[in-house]
Amino acid sequence: MNTSAEKGNRSAGPVVRTVLGDLDPADLGVCDAHDHLFLRSPQMPGQELADPGAAAAELAAFRAAGGAAVVQWTPYGMGRGAAELPGLARESGVTIVAATGLHQAVHYLPEVLERVRADLAGVFVAELTEGIGTTGVPAGMIKVAGGFHGLDRHARYTMAAAAEAHHATGAAIGIHLELGTGALDVLDLLCGELGVAPDRVILGHLNRSPDLVVHRMAAEAGAYLAFDGPSRAHHATDWRLPDALAALADAGFGDRILLGGDTTTAAARSVNGGPGMPHLLRRHRQRLQLALGEDLVTQFLTANPARAFAAHWGRHPHTTG
């Protein structure tokens, strides 16, 4: 870990807010732009990511494969393991960015939603500027979620709170797109109605809906497009990804593309026999380099996430002790 992150970066330029403090984007390195070290949900009983030892082993495997940074998109109330993240970052040498935000309503007990509903934007801002809970560990991005080909009342409410927090802090907003759908509805709301600059929006899971027209329209709007996670049986298969990325790059949008692993269950971790975080830099990167060239794939993994997650923070740079 670059020690400038632990001390806090006080330059006038944009910085990436990590769990150890603010980091010069040039120091981010090869980045898994969407993944999870810790995660729990009532929708996935028995599949929790809750073991710090397993998280450490996964980070070590990712580092050994050439990885330097991971952005954990686990939002409020889903077992982020915030207190564990600084130690994991120091021990592994991998930069970690944590998230605030709120997922779809189905991932929470009603009493949890009721507790945060009064001032959701305030919760997001506090976690971005003061730290998550009592840990003092700062979030460095906001994660919210859409629905399948649409936005329900909960999604609109959480996105409005995310937009308010973004305007107060500058933080990027990452969007879980259900099965990769609804990207244009999200942009209409966040950018059209709520005034968020498109280049502050990261649309996740677009690999799950390989609609090249929608991808092109989202890129033309100025958003970042995240293609994150190896396919499962009910998702679009990986063999279509090179064509989707080539179409975007050929149209001049290679600077909009992010890549991630999105490990969401213990069984999916590489240390448990799944693809896990290293898959992104082993087979996934290799396939994409053969199809697209090494320079372009390196851009997806380094320069693009460095821009996407950096911000001119609205409050003083956060420093973790």
Side-chain angles (χ1 to χ4, degrees):
M1 167 62 67
N2 189 304
T3 55
S4 68
E6 295 201 49
K7 295 177 181 177
N9 186 311
R10 286 169 169 74
S11 70
V15 293
V16 178
R17 184 150 291 179
T18 84
V19 300
L20 295 178
D22 292 344
L23 183 73
D24 188 320
D27 294 330
L28 191 64
V30 172
C31 181
D32 178 343
H34 179 174
D35 225 309
H36 301 274
L37 292 164
F38 297 96
L39 180 70
R40 69 166 181 262
S41 167
Q43 294 296 302
M44 300 186 295
Q47 301 182 59
E48 296 82 3
L49 297 176
D51 182 353
E58 196 71 2
L59 284 171
F62 176 70
R63 182 70 170 172
V70 172
V71 183
Q72 173 171 267
W73 284 38
T74 309
Y76 179 94
M78 294 187 69
R80 288 171 286 185
E84 303 285 350
L85 296 178
L88 288 169
R90 293 187 185 101
E91 292 163 13
S92 67
V94 175
T95 295
I96 299 173
V97 177
T100 187
L102 207 70
H103 211 318
Q104 296 163 330
V106 296
H107 293 287
Y108 301 94
L109 298 175
E111 53 265 31
V112 175
L113 295 178
E114 184 63 28
R115 185 167 65 242
V116 298
R117 192 172 298 278
D119 185 17
L120 189 58
V123 171
F124 297 169
V125 170
E127 294 196 336
L128 291 161
T129 60
E130 300 169 17
I132 296 169
T134 60
T135 67
V137 176
M141 56 93 67
I142 306 164
K143 184 261 187 71
V144 289
F148 183 55
H149 286 289
L151 301 176
D152 61 13
R153 182 179 178 183
H154 175 83
R156 290 181 175 277
Y157 176 76
T158 57
M159 288 185 192
E164 185 177 341
H166 159 76
H167 290 307
T169 65
I173 304 173
I175 312 295
H176 166 95
L177 297 176
E178 187 67 19
L179 295 181
T181 67
L184 302 182
D185 289 336
V186 168
L187 294 178
D188 285 348
L189 176 60
L190 281 177
C191 306
E193 298 181 30
L194 299 172
V196 177
D199 67 353
R200 297 285 73 208
V201 178
I202 302 167
L203 300 168
H205 303 321
L206 286 169
N207 50 302
R208 301 180 184 179
S209 180
D211 186 328
L212 303 191
V213 175
V214 170
H215 295 176
R216 174 73 176 265
M217 293 174 71
E220 287 177 344
Y224 283 95
L225 282 62
F227 297 82
D228 39 33
S231 299
R232 299 180 176 89
H234 61 292
H235 296 158
T237 52
D238 290 343
W239 61 267
R240 305 186 72 170
L241 183 59
D243 288 342
L245 300 186
L248 286 167
D250 289 347
F253 299 114
D255 61 345
R256 300 287 92 193
I257 296 168
L258 305 176
L259 300 176
D262 193 29
T263 307
T264 58
T265 65
R269 279 180 162 152
S270 66
V271 295
N272 293 328
M277 290 181 181
H279 177 77
L280 176 67
L281 302 180
R282 290 175 181 165
R283 298 305 183 195
H284 210 42
R285 177 169 58 178
Q286 183 182 49
R287 290 176 59 253
L288 293 178
Q289 286 175 340
L290 286 171
L292 304 172
E294 184 175 348
D295 289 347
L296 191 57
V297 177
T298 297
Q299 179 183 350
F300 298 164
L301 290 167
T302 57
N304 292 357
R307 284 196 318 275
F309 293 103
H312 292 277
W313 293 90
R315 302 192 180 187
H316 62 82
H318 190 101
T319 302
T320 301

